[in-house]
């Protein structure tokens, strides 16, 4: 089984849970609620499931690569905005986009500046800055240079405005290039290998040399996807020949939630009797990141060590039980390279799956998430960064207009940059109201009940979502819809945030001066974007434990009735209150 990391203490998980890591090389699975969070502001009008509480959300979800990659497409493309390009001696090629937007939110209208800062090797910075924190001299947009300079000082002071040049208006393809750069990490098409492992087989060579499969394997292939004729096939071909049948006549194809998968099935690819290595088959399957190993009953245990490939990073082993009967089930095991992060949905310990639509969704989702996880591994992330760096370099060199300093003054500016002491800028006062939809962030220490220790995280709180990002990886490990927040309590242990059906997060704000400023701002933001309230502590005394409590509860902790003038009534408990924690004190 794959252990699931539970950051919050809840009725579904306790600190004494036996769901622990078996060895140091094993990693935790994220909760399914954290898997769908890619950006904390819904600018794409695409429903991501985050508005449902954890108990009602789907457990099988496709983990997004970077939904924020669509930020430029949805918020900048087709609108008047500014693009600036340049090359920093330390950070490399840089591309900055800024757009001014007026948000109508009920009584209060807010004007913000959306900004995207693209760097070569670092994560893309996407921020929204309220206009009220910008100097009055720059809000009229007449002095674009001063405005962009000030916005950069607020959002990313490491970048010196002097290196940036505006996009050349004569190049109409600038926006298309930026869309391509931003959406580079988004994958919707996958090619996946499928190998047949017969009775008493276990090695790669044995599987490649199976000329055909068994009835059990054919049953699995028909369950996996649609058997398509390759010649003339007009959908995603996954590198297979759709003109001359040189890669076989048929293959397995599936389309699932806007994702396309072409399977490279070993027994459907050309078989060469005189070639034990079966290069015609290995040329495709050996270059797939994810490989499905189908095992007949009686097949020997499979080990990835026997596979010689630089690309095959994840193996999903499927063993058929009672094949070709009404009682057929499948067992699953997953093996991945060390630098490939964990991906969902988690496989329960010792689970077997019947041949059903639910298992099909589970299995296809597991395959898609597996390949997305491989792209996040160090090897493939480095390759993607190199491609991105070259694209940014090209756009900085070929799509920017002449710099005002081009000429003799440019030489002097090179000597002056860095030698002039920059004026210290005071941080702008944060806008905490609900009208600011994007996330405000706090550095916090969160108690991880899975590991029974505190971890350093960034808490992001938008108008829709509270998300916890682990540092330094930046991975979302907990996500809570703001409407699910019941309340909070500032205790000696830290700030407790109650949500969903009895869950609680315990955290502390990290500050350098030991002040309560950050905590106060966080609580104020909670008041603005949630319907929760501060929990009150009450002391409910009874003379004897056998005495009547004096109130009645429903399953969710909501008080349905309080006996008037009873101890519970005198301590402040009222009908409609919700009890979120019971201990030495009673919080509601």
């Amino acid at each position: 089984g794959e252990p699931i990391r539970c950051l919050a203490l809840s009725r579904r998980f306790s600190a004494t849970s036996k769901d622990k890591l078996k060895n140091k090389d094993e990693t935790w699975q994220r909760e399914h609620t954290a898997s769908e969070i890619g950006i904390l502001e819904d600018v794409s009008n695409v429903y991501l499931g985050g508005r449902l509480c954890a108990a009602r959300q789907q457990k099988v979800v496709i983990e997004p690569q970077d939904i924020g990659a669509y930020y430029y497409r949805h918020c900048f493309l087709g609108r008047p905005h500014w693009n600036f390009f340049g090359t920093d001696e330390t950070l490399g090629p840089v591309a900055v986009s800024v757009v001014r937007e007026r948000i109508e939110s009920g009584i209060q209208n807010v004007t913000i500046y959306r900004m995207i800062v693209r760097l070569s090797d670092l994560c893309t910075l996407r921020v929204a800055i309220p206009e009220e924190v910008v100097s009055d001299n720059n809000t009229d947009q007449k002095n674009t240079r001063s405005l962009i300079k000030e916005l950069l000082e607020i959002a990313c002071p490491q970048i010196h405005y002097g290196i940036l040049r505006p996009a050349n208006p004569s190049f109409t393809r600038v926006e298309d290039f930026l869309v391509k750069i931003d959406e580079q990490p988004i994958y919707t098409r996958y090619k996946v290998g499928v190998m047949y492992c017969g009775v008493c087989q276990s090695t790669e060579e044995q599987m490649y040399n199976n000329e055909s499969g068994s009835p059990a394997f054919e049953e699995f292939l028909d369950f996996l996807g649609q058997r398509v004729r390759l010649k003339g096939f007009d959908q995603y071909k996954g590198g297979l020949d759709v003109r001359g049948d040189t890669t076989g006549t048929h293959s397995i194809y599936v389309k699932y939630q806007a994702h396309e998968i072409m399977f490279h099935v070993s027994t459907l690819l050309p078989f060469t009797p005189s070639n034990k290595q079966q290069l015609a088959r290995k040329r495709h399957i050996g270059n797939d990141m994810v490989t499905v190993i189908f095992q007949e009953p009686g097949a020997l245990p499979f080990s990835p060590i026997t596979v010689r490939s630089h690309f095959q990073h994840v193996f999903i082993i499927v063993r058929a039980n009672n094949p070709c009967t009404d009682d057929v089930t499948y067992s699953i095991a997953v093996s991945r390279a060390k630098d490939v992060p964990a991906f969902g949905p988690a496989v329960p310990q010792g689970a077997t799956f019947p041949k059903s639509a639910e298992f099909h969704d589970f299995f296809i989702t597991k395959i898609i998430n597996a390949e997305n996880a491989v792209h996040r591994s160090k090897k493939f992330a480095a390759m993607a960064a190199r491609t991105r760096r070259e694209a940014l370099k090209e756009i900085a060199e070929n799509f920017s207009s002449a710099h005002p300093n081009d000429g003799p003054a440019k030489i002097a500016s090179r000597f002056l940059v860095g030698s002039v002491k920059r004026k210290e800028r005071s941080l702008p006062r944060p806008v905490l109201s609900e009208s600011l939809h994007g996330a405000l962030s706090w550095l916090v220490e969160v108690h991880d009940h899975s590991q029974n220790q505190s971890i350093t995280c960034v808490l992001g709180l938008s108008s829709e979502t509270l998300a916890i990002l682990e540092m330094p990886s930046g991975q979302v490990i907990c996500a809570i819809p703001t409407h699910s927040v019941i309340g909070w309590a500032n205790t000696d242990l830290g700030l407790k945030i109650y949500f969903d059906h009895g869950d609680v997060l315990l955290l502390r704000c990290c500050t350098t001066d030991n002040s309560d400023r950050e905590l106060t701002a966080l609580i104020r933001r909670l008041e603005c974007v949630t319907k929760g309230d501060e929990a009150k502590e009450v002391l409910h005394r009874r003379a004897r434990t056998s005495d009547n409590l004096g109130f009645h509860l429903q399953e969710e902790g909501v008080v349905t009735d309080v006996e008037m003038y009873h101890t519970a009534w005198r301590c402040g408990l009222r009908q409609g209150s919700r009890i979120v924690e019971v201990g030495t004190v009673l919080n509601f």
Side-chain angles (χ1 to χ4, degrees), residues 548-570:
N548 183 19
L549 288 173
F551 62 92
H552 298 87
L553 292 172
Q554 61 146 216
E555 183 182 359
E556 294 293 326
V558 177
V559 177
T560 58
D561 181 45
V562 183
E563 296 180 16
M564 190 171 292
Y565 305 118
H566 195 277
T567 306
W569 189 87
R570 289 198 300 270

Side-chain angles (χ1 to χ4, degrees), residues 153-169:
E153 289 177 352
I154 295 173
C156 192
Q158 296 87 345
I159 297 178
H160 194 280
Y161 175 74
I163 68 166
L164 297 177
R165 291 179 288 177
N168 193 327

Side-chain angles (χ1 to χ4, degrees), residues 347-375:
V347 179
Q349 179 72 31
T352 58
F353 300 88
K355 190 173 72 172
S356 62
E358 290 76 13
F359 173 56
H360 183 268
D361 292 347
F362 179 96
F363 193 72
I364 297 299
T365 302
K366 191 73 172 176
I367 289 174
I368 293 173
N369 289 342
E371 183 149 335
N372 291 343
V374 173
H375 284 293

Side-chain angles (χ1 to χ4, degrees), residues 43 74 122 135 156 158 182 188 198 247 261 296 310 345 377 427 438 472 506 517 539 563 569:
V43 296
H74 292 295
L122 302 177
S135 301
C156 192
Q158 296 87 345
D182 284 356
T188 58
T247 56
I261 304 176
E296 284 275 358
H310 295 292
S377 65
L427 291 175
L506 177 61
R517 184 178 64 254
L539 187 61
E563 296 180 16
W569 189 87

